[in-house]
Amino acid sequence: MVTTRNSVFLWRRTILSLLIFGFAISFAFAQGRTIKGKVTSASEGPLPGVNIVLQGTTQGTMTDAGGNYSISVPGPDAVLIFSFISYTPQTITVGAQATIDVVLAPALSTLNEVVVVGYGTQRKKDITGAVSNIKSDEFNKGAISNASQLIAGKAAGVMVTNSSGDPGANASIRIRGNSSVRAGNDPLIVVDGVPLSGGNTTADGDLQNIGNSSARNPMNFINSSDIANIDILKDASATAIYGSRGANGVILITTKQGSSGANSVEYDGSVSVGSIAHKLKLLNAAEFRAIAPTQDLGGNVDALDAILRTSISQNHNLAFKGGNDNLKYRLSLGTQDLQGIVKTSGQKKYTANLNVNQEFFKKRLTLNTGIIYSVVNDNYAPVSTNAGFEGSLIGNALVWNPTRAFIKPDGSFDQFSSSDTNPLALLDYFQDKAKTERFLGNMSATLKLIEGLEYKVNLGVDRSYSERTIELSSLLNRQDILGRGYAGVNDLNTNSFLIEHTLNYNKNFTERVRFTGLLGYSYQTFNRSGKSVSGKDFAFDQVSYIDQLQAISQANRNISSYKDPKTELQSYFGRVNLNMLDKFMLTATVRADGSSKFGTNNQYGYFPSFAFAYRLSEEAFIPKVFNDLKLRFGWGKTGNQEFPAGASQAQYQITRDGLTRSQYDNPDLKWETSTTLNAGIDFSLFNSRITGSVEYFNKKTVD
């Protein structure tokens, strides 16, 4: 029995050992299973440098010069992801395979992407003019206060220069340089199909002898997070569709739309920290004493440090979107708090954006509604562009004696001179605030009349109201301010109304001959008015001077108002695009503009353009390394009517002497005309891994 019992125990132990050994072998095999293979392209053969990653891990490898690879996987459920630039990624489950060969297909060419042009869209491959397209994922990042900062450095021939470092300050945008001596050089801005009026929408302010502050950026009202893409039209063949307003180029801003699918909520936010990028090297107190001992006042201060700070800015955005095949929506809410590095300066912005797209009658009728509403609160520092010898805040800080303390022993500011202003006193005794509300709305209806023919009516409204208040305390030692004080309130109202009718026709005569045509009519009005109240000699420093304006004497109070003559712009326009064999593209455009700005002898201007493109890459003699190579030639005329409203009309003003003429009429006043000749080469190599364009243009402006 003992022998039998020991034999049974021995067998059990042997079987258990075999099972453990078997599991160990299986586990080791599962951990060390190797998959091999080759990655190729149908057009280029073996692909070196393809990334192969085990899904859900950081484990991966790359193909060698011959496209070969080898990777360990844990088991048959493992999933491998093959990815390579300009190719569509592939995901493959290993299963029982030991060798996996993969053929990657080129990704959808960017040439088939749709680009927004005036009054429509085109495939990038069909464009005959000079157009740059910048998508949201290509925008500049950081503490962005307006849309112009998104595209700085992103498009050839487009220069964006900030007027100052003040949050929300205006930016100069120049497309292919300056074109005009007097009529303005800013491009036309179009938001979701509505051309903006241009010019400043924030009320100006009289800073007295401190000078003028920089203008606010008219694009501050748009939340940068709501922008889907920005298209920039550069040459006359692209901008002539905007006629008398297209000479300086056109910037088309398209905001994000809703999408079909389950309702979703998106949030994005950021916090940024800012400081002075480059601080001038000034003498400190010890160095100043060494060279000017007679002016040593015993103190030790740094005036620049006293007026500057490390700024902290925040940006928060919440978006709701969803819909189905017939109804899509997107609602976004945003708040932004930008601090300037100069104390007291900053901007707070609150925005709401709603886009709704609805289709009826089996998609024959489409309604689109877009609304942008914003409130922008600006806090200005006493920094100006033309302060004169007395200087503004920065100038006063730069010349301040570092041995002179800002505060006297009695706790008051040391204001020893009216020309060398104490920078801390100027900060404390100066208040400059502006509040700007803006509403931009557009509604369009598109009706498919017959196959390929669509009629669209578009209504747009752009209204803004701005109020700016400025106070200079009577305690500030500045000429004509000390003992008097100053306060002013300025209002600015702008509004614009747009109605457009367009007919679009698309027809494929054959598989390789395509035609698109556009006919349109546009009518837009612009109104601008404002008023101001200002005064000096206030009785009480404990109460806001703004609230005392009605109490000061009439001799010390100024009241003024203005209303620009109404500007009306009536336009007729048309465009033809012809594409033959995906090789030859022709575009012809004409627009006739009638504007009340023009003199009675020049009521209408006519602006034609022509452009031709030849896709060389369709020819057999072009090396296959080019997946696109296109020559472009264009010629066109555009106009510039950015001179003051009513400049051609007789104007009058009311004075103590009654109604007097302030301006004589000029019946011959006309727009500037720019004629542009453009030639370009667009190229794309190695499945769009390298893309670019080379442009030559000659632009001449007359009248």
Side-chain angles (χ1 to χ4, degrees), residues 587-632:
T587 301
T589 302
V590 64
R591 178 164 176 142
D593 275 344
S595 174
S596 61
K597 280 189 174 184
F598 305 156
T600 54
N601 296 337
N602 293 297
Q603 281 292 284
Y604 275 88
Y606 301 92
F607 308 95
S609 76
F610 304 93
F612 173 76
Y614 173 29
R615 178 166 287 108
L616 289 168
S617 53
E618 293 293 316
E619 303 291 359
F621 58 82
I622 298 298
K624 295 301 181 183
V625 68
F626 288 96
N627 53 296
D628 184 55
L629 182 63
K630 182 171 66 176
L631 295 178
R632 294 182 284 103

Side-chain angles (χ1 to χ4, degrees), residues 392-651:
S392 62
L393 181 67
I394 301 297
N396 292 142
L398 291 175
V399 301
W400 187 258
N401 182 340
T403 67
R404 180 185 291 276
F406 299 120
I407 309 295
K408 296 192 292 187
D410 62 3
S412 63
F413 289 111
D414 185 354
Q415 299 190 82
F416 67 98
S417 169
S418 62
S419 58
D420 295 329
T421 305
N422 185 323
L424 288 191
L426 185 55
L427 271 179
D428 193 56
Y429 293 148
F430 175 92
Q431 289 188 35
D432 187 358
K433 299 180 180 180
K435 179 180 180 180
T436 304
E437 299 180 51
R438 191 163 187 177
F439 173 89
L440 178 68
N442 73 289
M443 177 178 291
S444 67
T446 304
L447 178 63
K448 295 182 179 179
L449 300 174
I450 58 174
E451 184 65 29
L453 181 62
E454 293 183 346
Y455 163 71
K456 180 179 180 180
V457 58
N458 185 39
L459 303 176
V461 176
D462 181 12
R463 303 191 66 179
S464 69
Y465 171 75
S466 179
E467 180 182 80
R468 185 168 178 179
T469 61
I470 298 173
E471 294 187 42
L472 292 172
S473 172
S474 63
L475 302 177
L476 178 65
N477 187 9
R478 294 285 290 224
Q479 183 179 359
D480 207 31
I481 298 297
L482 183 64
R484 303 191 66 188
Y486 170 82
V489 180
N490 289 352
D491 292 343
L492 173 64
N493 284 279
T494 67
N495 65 78
S496 166
F497 173 76
L498 168 75
I499 182 169
E500 290 177 335
H501 303 272
T502 56
L503 278 174
N504 276 281
Y505 183 61
N506 295 275
K507 176 70 174 179
N508 293 342
F509 294 108
T510 68
E511 290 185 0
R512 306 200 67 183
V513 178
R514 294 190 297 273
F515 170 87
T516 62
L518 166 73
L519 288 175
Y521 168 81
S522 175
Y523 176 76
Q524 192 168 10
T525 62
F526 307 93
N527 289 281
R528 189 179 184 91
S529 62
K531 59 184 182 296
S532 66
V533 180
S534 63
K536 292 182 177 179
D537 294 335
F538 296 93
F540 307 100
D541 290 326
Q542 301 85 350
V543 180
S544 169
Y545 291 170
I546 300 297
D547 298 331
Q548 300 181 59
L549 280 169
Q550 79 283 357
I552 61 177
S553 67
Q554 185 175 352
N556 294 324
R557 186 171 62 233
N558 296 308
I559 300 175
S560 64
S561 64
Y562 70 92
K563 184 176 183 180
D564 290 345
K566 179 180 180 180
T567 297
E568 298 177 272
L569 180 64
Q570 178 173 257
S571 309
Y572 304 87
F573 51 90
R575 179 174 59 213
V576 171
N577 292 302
L578 185 63
N579 183 315
M580 295 176 288
L581 309 176
D582 267 343
K583 185 187 298 186
F584 305 105
M585 283 75 69
L586 176 67
T587 301
T589 302
V590 64
R591 178 164 176 142
D593 275 344
S595 174
S596 61
K597 280 189 174 184
F598 305 156
T600 54
N601 296 337
N602 293 297
Q603 281 292 284
Y604 275 88
Y606 301 92
F607 308 95
S609 76
F610 304 93
F612 173 76
Y614 173 29
R615 178 166 287 108
L616 289 168
S617 53
E618 293 293 316
E619 303 291 359
F621 58 82
I622 298 298
K624 295 301 181 183
V625 68
F626 288 96
N627 53 296
D628 184 55
L629 182 63
K630 182 171 66 176
L631 295 178
R632 294 182 284 103
F633 301 93
W635 172 92
K637 287 187 175 183
T638 50
N640 186 354
Q641 63 158 18
E642 294 307 310
F643 45 81
S648 66
Q649 305 169 14
Q651 296 188 31

Side-chain angles (χ1 to χ4, degrees), residues 289-303:
R289 291 187 185 98
I291 65 170
T294 59
Q295 299 184 43
D296 180 10
L297 302 176
N300 185 3
V301 299
D302 187 320

Side-chain angles (χ1 to χ4, degrees), residues 145-146 148 163-172 186 198-205 212-221 338 340 344-348 376-381 383-385 432-436 438 466-468 492 528:
S145 63
N146 57 74
S148 61
S163 61
S164 77
D166 192 13
N170 200 8
S172 167
D186 293 329
N200 192 19
T201 56
T202 301
D204 291 329
N212 297 323
S213 61
S214 61
R216 300 287 94 177
N217 194 303
M219 289 191 284
N220 282 344
F221 75 101
L338 297 177
T344 73
S345 67
Q347 181 187 86
K348 291 184 179 180
V376 181
N377 295 317
D378 287 296
N379 281 345
Y380 299 79
V383 178
S384 65
T385 57
D432 187 358
K433 299 180 180 180
K435 179 180 180 180
T436 304
R438 191 163 187 177
S466 179
E467 180 182 80
R468 185 168 178 179
L492 173 64
R528 189 179 184 91

